[in-house]
Each structure stands twice: as structure tokens, then as C-alpha cells.
Amino acid sequence: MSQVVVIAGASAGIGRAVTAAYAARGAKLALIARGRAGLEGASLEARAAGAADVRTFQVDVSDAEAVQRVADEVAGEWGGIDVWINDAMVSVFAPAWEITPSEYRRVTEVNYLGTVYGTLAALSHMRRAGHGAIVQIGSALAYRGIPLQAPYCASKHAIQGFNDSLRAELLHDGNRVKLSMVQLPAVNTPQFSWVRTRLPRHPQPVPPIYQPEVVARAVLWIADHGKREINVGGPTLKTRLGNIAAPGFLDRLLSSDKRGYQGQQTAEKIDPATWVDNLDKPGDEERDHGAHGVFDDQSRTSSFALWAAMHKPLVTGVVGAGLGLASAALLNRRR
């Protein structure tokens, strides 16, 4: 039977790539987003890719009641929910003191509370069924904040803490619902062309940049296997390890103009006063932007670190065999 998959933030970027990947499996898809054109494009693409069925819901994830209605309707029509993915996000690029209280509130409501509302809506059906997978789209920034993105970094930290608490509660109850988080590197999504910004130049993800399809592979894998967490790309793992080993050094490194500030902007000058963002209104209401942003020419389509994480037994076996051969060779030399 086809999996029933709900994807919040499905109209663009990572959510759009995940939609296409599940469609190729023949899943039944419930797509949640704000933008009409983006949702229509995602639906058409999913049907063409082989989805068994597609439903779209033009919903803001900060509306808890609306999100719950989606869950109830999907579960009622298709007999339950197998996978729920929380990917909706917004952000503001500016120094922390230039961001208004209402902007902090909005980012928190969408990124953090939207994830909480989606998770609770999924659990209202999965806990009774005794199975299911919930996947949160996280970031290396869930562990390491960077300048110019304080609201976004704070929201990802909050999701990480929420996940840890909830996972322990599910384990305590012996419930078989799996809760996972995918931690991201820089990804080429449309957000960098519609994020709210007060920077002088066009925002960009800090290189190296990965295509959203790389993340989609991680999302499907972790939903299938129910693992706790997966790091996408070497930069994510390096960032997390660096923050454990030398957080003060990273503070100073990211405070530098070259690393923390210029690295998040291209050379293209913009006028923040005329920049159109998606913080309060969808960026794909009238035009479908698809999965990719404007950085295709510099984005990677694969990650060895991700492949290794998805094939740990094989990698461990090869490394173990290599160490064994090396030890044997060393012993022979000594003889």
C-alpha cells in the first residue's frame, strides 16, 4: 500500500525536493504551504512523478487549528498518516538589534511553533496507531548560531530541544512512533531570494552549497530507518564538532567581516527598501519557484559524508578490515 506522507513547507526548496522524491515512490501526498502557485506546481510535479494521490492545503503552519484540521482530514480520508515532515520556515537577515519584536515573533511562530503544531497534529493520529515517523528539518545552526540570523538560529535550537524532550517521552511510553531530525549544511533553495533582509547585498548560503535533492535523500532514509539524527554534508559535522571543541574560537571566527558577514552575501547589491520578502506573505503565491534557488552553478549534487552516514555498517566494516590489515602488516615487519 502507498505511504501517506504529509509535508509542511512543500511548495519550494527542500520540501519541494522531498515531495518529488516521495512522489517517485508512489506515495499519497498531503502538501502544506502558503503559496497558491507553488502548491499547484508541486502538485502537478508530484502527479507526473508517480504519486498515488495528491492533496494540497493552503495553510500557514503558525495556525495550530488549521494544521490539526489537515491532519484529521488526511487521516480520515486515507486511513492514517505514515510520515509527517516539518520543513516550513522563514527568516530575517540583519544584526539582532535591527530585527523588530514582531519579526522575532513571526520567525518563532513559523519555524518553531509551526514544527510543534505539526508534530502534535501528527502524534494525535500516530500515537493511537502505534507507528509513524516524524522528521524535523533542522540545521547545523541548531547547534551553532551565526551572525545576521539570530531568529532563525534560535528557532532551530528550540526545535532541537523540543525534539529531545519529546523523544524521551515517547521512549518512556514505549510508543513506536519515530522522531528524527535532519541537520543541514548550506542548501540552494529559493529562500535566499525572498528572505527578509536588511543587508546591502543579495543573501546567500555560506559555501559549500548543496542541492535540495541531497537533503531529500537524507529525509527519506531517516524516515525509513527511524534514526535519531543525521548530518547532511561534511560542513554540518565539522561545524558541530568545532562548536564542541572550540566555541569561543568560532565566535571570533564568525565575527570577522570575511567569514561571518561577507560569506552570507553575494556581490550583487540590492535595495532592502524595495526587496520583496515572504515573512508575512508567501513568496510563491503568483509564481512557482520550484526546489532550487539561484546558486545552481556552485551547488553540489552529492555528499560522501551523507553516503557514509547512510551506510555505517559497510563503512565500519571497511575501516575495520583496513585497520586489521594494517596491524597485520606492521606485525609482519616487526618479525
Side-chain angles (χ1 to χ4, degrees), residues 72 123-131 175:
D72 294 344
L123 286 174
S124 69
H125 295 279
M126 291 180 178
R127 287 180 67 237
R128 287 198 299 269
H131 68 87
N175 199 288

Side-chain angles (χ1 to χ4, degrees), residues 99-304:
I99 300 172
T100 68
S102 64
E103 290 170 337
Y104 278 105
R105 183 182 303 112
R106 176 62 177 161
V107 173
T108 303
E109 288 174 344
V110 174
N111 297 8
Y112 172 57
L113 291 179
T115 293
V116 171
Y117 299 154
T119 301
L120 295 178
L123 286 174
S124 69
H125 295 279
M126 291 180 178
R127 287 180 67 237
R128 287 198 299 269
H131 68 87
I134 301 171
V135 180
Q136 324 291 26
I137 304 302
S139 172
L141 306 187
Y143 292 93
R144 172 68 235 185
I146 63 173
L148 305 178
Q149 294 196 57
Y152 177 85
C153 294
S155 68
K156 293 299 183 181
H157 275 69
I159 294 168
Q160 181 63 39
F162 168 73
N163 245 32
D164 287 347
S165 296
L166 176 57
R167 188 182 295 105
E169 292 164 358
L170 290 170
L171 289 169
H172 171 270
D173 289 354
N175 199 288
R176 294 176 62 191
V177 175
K178 301 301 182 183
L179 184 65
S180 305
M181 195 162 179
V182 178
Q183 309 297 10
L184 307 185
V187 186
N188 175 34
T189 70
Q191 70 150 311
F192 297 96
S193 295
W194 63 29
V195 68
R196 180 165 293 184
T197 181
R198 296 189 178 93
L199 305 181
R201 300 194 302 279
H202 194 296
Q204 73 166 8
V206 179
I209 305 169
Y210 293 80
Q211 293 289 23
E213 288 78 12
V214 178
V215 180
R217 290 196 287 273
V219 171
L220 270 64
W221 182 86
I222 206 166
D224 289 345
H225 292 82
K227 299 298 185 181
R228 184 179 191 277
E229 187 176 50
I230 191 168
N231 298 301
V232 179
T236 303
L237 186 57
K238 290 177 184 177
T239 298
R240 292 185 59 181
L241 292 174
N243 196 55
I244 293 170
F249 172 74
L250 283 184
D251 290 341
R252 286 184 283 276
L253 182 68
L254 290 167
S255 72
S256 71
D257 204 46
K258 180 180 180 181
R259 293 297 183 97
Y261 286 69
Q262 305 308 323
Q264 297 191 70
Q265 304 174 71
T266 70
E268 178 188 350
K269 290 185 178 181
I270 62 169
D271 180 0
T274 61
W275 181 268
V276 179
D277 66 71
N278 76 332
L279 188 65
D280 298 313
K281 297 180 180 179
D284 53 0
E285 175 67 20
E286 303 296 333
R287 176 190 165 200
D288 177 23
H289 294 266
H292 289 201
V294 296
F295 303 101
D296 277 336
D297 60 339
Q298 53 183 301
S299 296
R300 301 179 181 184
T301 58
S302 64
S303 164
F304 176 76

